Amino acid sequence: MSKKLKQIVLIGTILLLFVFICVSFYLGRQGRAEYKDEVEYVIGVSQANMREAWRLALIQEIQEEAKKYPNIRIIAKDATSIVDKQEQDVDKLLQFGIDLLIISPCDTGKMTEKVKEVYQNGIPVIVMDRGVEGFEYSLFIGPDNDMIGRQAGEAVVALFDGRPGTVLKLCGNVSATQNQERIRGFDSVVQGYSQITLETRYMEKELKDTAYDALSAMQEKLQDVDVVFANSDYVAQGAYEALRDMGLEQAIQIVGTDGFTGEDEGVDMVMQGKMAATISCPTGGREAIQYAINILEQQSGVPKQVILRSRTITRENADRYLAALKKETADTGNLITMGYSQVGQESKWRFANTRSIQEAAREFNIRLLFDDANQSQEKQIAAIRRFIQEKVDVIVVSPVVETGWDEVLKEAKAAGIPVVMSDRKVVTAEKDLTMTYIGADFLEEGRRAMRWIRDNITPHKQKMNILELKGNKGASPTEERGRGFAEILKECPNFQVIYSGYGNFTYEEGKEIIERYLQNHAWDVDVIYAHNDDMALGAIEALEQSGISPGTDVKIISVDATRDAFQAMVDGKLNCTVECNPLLGAPLMKAVRDMVSGKEMPVRIITEEKVYDQSVAEDFISQRVY
Ligand code: AHR
């Protein structure tokens, strides 16, 4: 397409969008009444700005997907990157009478209160791309920017193929969280290769022209550069044109991010050989509308966070990538056969988790082959092999430990059977052995436990002693709750962990650890941090048998938020429990049906979780369903 025609198309797109915004504004002034008969739901979209290409793409994807649902209308507002304006935009959308708000915040911190206000007033809120603090919203959908950075780093390293050389990072607004995360991910990979020199050029703005000017101004220095990493495809376009005008486009390769489709966009640049690779940064617009419909129709299975998958696009796979984007997905509703390998029956949480899986399977028309491994990895691996032999449609695993799964997961992949991780995660040497993870953010649970201690327990001595009851060694909840807790503990000089033991998430072993500790030490513990309620309740029994008053002589904080924990808080024996939601059945079965129907699977699907302490235990105990 000639430059002239490109400009006409660009101007046309902007004009079309301008008309759309004007119409939205006009309708906004008319109020919801204009729609009453034809439209069932009005969805308000508050976009941080419609200048950046990625944000424009998000709006366009939302509009495109919304066309599939004649009973909804979209009203979009452009905050032009101004927080005050975004707050006013949200108010105008509410005045109009929207049924649901989709918002991509200008600023994480400053929009938290406005999102919370809308959500607490009963309007569902889907937060996109940049998060807000806390969890006062219906659903967050966004990319994993750290992963995008790591994928870009891996793409750059592959270009060097072991040879020494220099990569130049073109960085824009480093105060933006997503840029910080991407650069962190990128550096974490490339810095692992001592033969690669990493240089950085900061730019005022992350635009095509600023990239062109930045590279043009450093022509001499480019003699030593082998690869340029551009933190957006538009920066990559500017970089390419600068290299071309300096006659360096053959000598220096480019890796970008965003992966937009369309003429001269990132994927097209890769296909034309102008870029070696780009890392897709999915906007989530399509998913936002699909989940909005689920929320408005009060369907089960809507999670709390959906972290979208990014792909490394090269000349070799670009055609397949584009074909996959165009693939229509439709859930036939046909029966799906699922092999489920469950950890065991070690805790009340697990019983609730198993019940949730079994109930949801019936609700979502899934034939469940269920195996309980009694906390044995060997039994889980044997079960997975049985599922492979039975040629199930999908295998789901809640792995007792993180490692030791590579071989059997490769067997499942070779058999063409997708594997989904439920509740717990695995760590494998080879990538893409599992389709997605559905469960909790264990790191955040550990942080919340220590934040509660920090904010609610006043030290009465120089060092307050903490005893930690850990789950089973090597399990992702054990490792991550420990790491998350330690991360916040580092900021609390008046607290220290003086003893920790593995209680394997069971009541009996939690009790035994306290009994053994009392046999070998004079009681000097101020706080007990238990990785789950069962171990905390076992510890409470041991303390009471020794005349120590749990909840007063020693404060106890645990994880899960089971009904028994609420009862212990009502009785004053437990001080706080951090929720880890076992009711994964519906989000899991919804994700499996989506996957089988051909939808791209998110990287992670995280469930909703809160923190409860004695001050609210009475209010909530009757509502606890597990
Ligand atoms: O994987 C989740 C953990 O496993 C729960 O916190 C615990 O109760 C269960 O045994």
Side-chain angles (χ1 to χ4, degrees), residues 342-351 353 375 398-400 422-425 437 440 442 445 471-472 475-478 481 504-506 530-535 559-562 578-582 584:
Q342 179 61 297
V343 172
Q345 302 176 49
E346 74 284 1
S347 61
K348 291 288 183 69
W349 186 98
R350 190 65 57 194
F351 291 132
N353 176 245
Q375 297 222 62
S398 178
V400 64
S422 168
D423 163 35
R424 296 186 179 178
K425 300 170 198 161
Y437 163 75
F442 297 131
E445 290 170 351
N472 60 292
S476 50
T478 306
R481 283 173 189 162
N504 295 323
F505 292 117
T506 69
H531 286 190
N532 84 325
D533 293 340
D534 296 66
M535 293 189 293
V559 183
D560 281 351
T562 57
V578 174
E579 187 174 34
C580 173
N581 189 341
L584 301 176

Side-chain angles (χ1 to χ4, degrees), residues 24-40:
S24 304
F25 178 74
Y26 168 75
L27 290 177
R29 291 169 62 84
Q30 302 307 311
R32 175 76 188 258
E34 287 297 308
Y35 285 145
K36 204 168 287 274
D37 302 336
E38 316 141 39
V39 174
E40 193 174 0

